[in-house]
Amino acid sequence: MERISWHQYFMAQSHLLALRSTCSRLMVGATIVRDKRIIAGGYNGAISGGVHCIDEGCYVIDDHCVRTIHAEVNAILQCAKFGVATEGAEIYVTHFPCLNCCKALIQAGIKKVYFAANYKNHPYAEELFGQAGVEFEQVELEEMILDVNNKEKLRFTAELLSHLESLGLEQSELKRLSDTANKLYTSS
């Protein structure tokens, strides 16, 4: 059995954390890692005990939901709350950090930011990362690795398409089905 890479392991953790998000506009998860060990995780949501977006809607000012604490900040605050140093750590985030999170990550001493999806990437955030010597890299989650039956599903789909071809299905219909299958297996 082939094990998943460290990048995929930590990015999958961030996507799992995002499922706890209470913001209905965008679900974000973040995992802080040091020496290949998870030291904290966070997701975007309201303050502890506060009103959640999923309950009363987002509180939007200047196109930003101000009700939520962003995933990256929640992860940093978790470290602060429990006395865990963030200096020299790395973070895996489902989306490129906003400008404020970028500054918080720099001040927390995070040395590398891995993100799965581009999301309103601000050029100034990239500039600040550069000034601070913080590397950032896109590492998309390969969702198929989370499906323990993915190889069998791919094989079955290929066999099914081959069988339909041998039965004389029109090439245009066969291409349509093949394209649909490819989109299902490669969408993110």
Side-chain angles (χ1 to χ4, degrees):
M1 180 173 114
E2 189 176 322
R3 297 191 316 167
I4 65 173
S5 71
W6 285 112
H7 284 317
Q8 290 301 301
Y9 174 74
F10 296 128
M11 194 57 75
Q13 177 69 29
S14 293
H15 281 271
L16 187 61
L17 283 161
L19 295 175
R20 290 281 307 154
S21 172
T22 60
C23 184
S24 52
R25 295 181 79 211
L26 183 68
M27 298 171 75
V28 180
T31 305
I32 299 178
V33 175
R34 189 190 307 77
D35 299 324
K36 295 191 177 22
R37 300 288 180 261
I38 296 171
I39 60 173
Y43 52 87
N44 57 329
I47 60 168
S48 297
V51 174
H52 296 281
C53 298
I54 57 173
D55 297 326
E56 294 191 13
C58 291
Y59 185 5
V60 179
I61 298 175
D62 295 331
D63 200 35
H64 293 285
C65 179
V66 296
R67 186 183 310 276
T68 61
I69 300 169
H70 289 192
E72 301 93 324
V73 172
N74 262 332
I76 291 168
L77 292 172
Q78 186 180 70
C79 286
K81 186 174 186 176
F82 295 105
V84 178
T86 54
E87 182 70 36
E90 302 172 335
I91 192 166
Y92 288 78
V93 190
T94 57
H95 297 78
F96 189 85
C98 73
L99 191 51
N100 284 327
C101 286
C102 160
K103 293 185 281 186
L105 293 170
I106 290 167
Q107 291 303 97
I110 300 294
K111 68 176 182 179
K112 188 141 189 185
V113 176
Y114 297 100
F115 64 98
N118 288 308
Y119 183 73
K120 300 179 181 180
N121 301 29
H122 199 287
Y124 189 54
E126 293 180 10
E127 183 182 327
L128 288 175
F129 280 149
Q131 288 176 18
V134 174
E135 298 176 49
F136 59 95
E137 177 183 339
Q138 187 168 16
V139 176
E140 296 180 38
L141 176 66
E142 297 169 19
E143 294 176 8
M144 290 294 287
I145 65 167
L146 300 178
D147 183 351
V148 295
N149 297 315
N150 69 51
K151 291 177 184 169
E152 291 81 4
K153 289 176 183 178
L154 289 168
R155 191 175 310 116
F156 174 76
T157 302
E159 289 172 8
L160 186 60
L161 289 170
S162 178
H163 184 64
L164 289 171
E165 183 177 29
S166 71
L167 292 174
L169 186 67
E170 284 185 34
Q171 285 298 313
S172 61
E173 183 63 11
L174 193 60
K175 179 169 178 9
R176 185 188 71 76
L177 292 172
S178 179
D179 289 346
T180 300
N182 283 333
K183 285 180 187 172
L184 286 172
Y185 288 123
T186 59
S187 69
S188 48

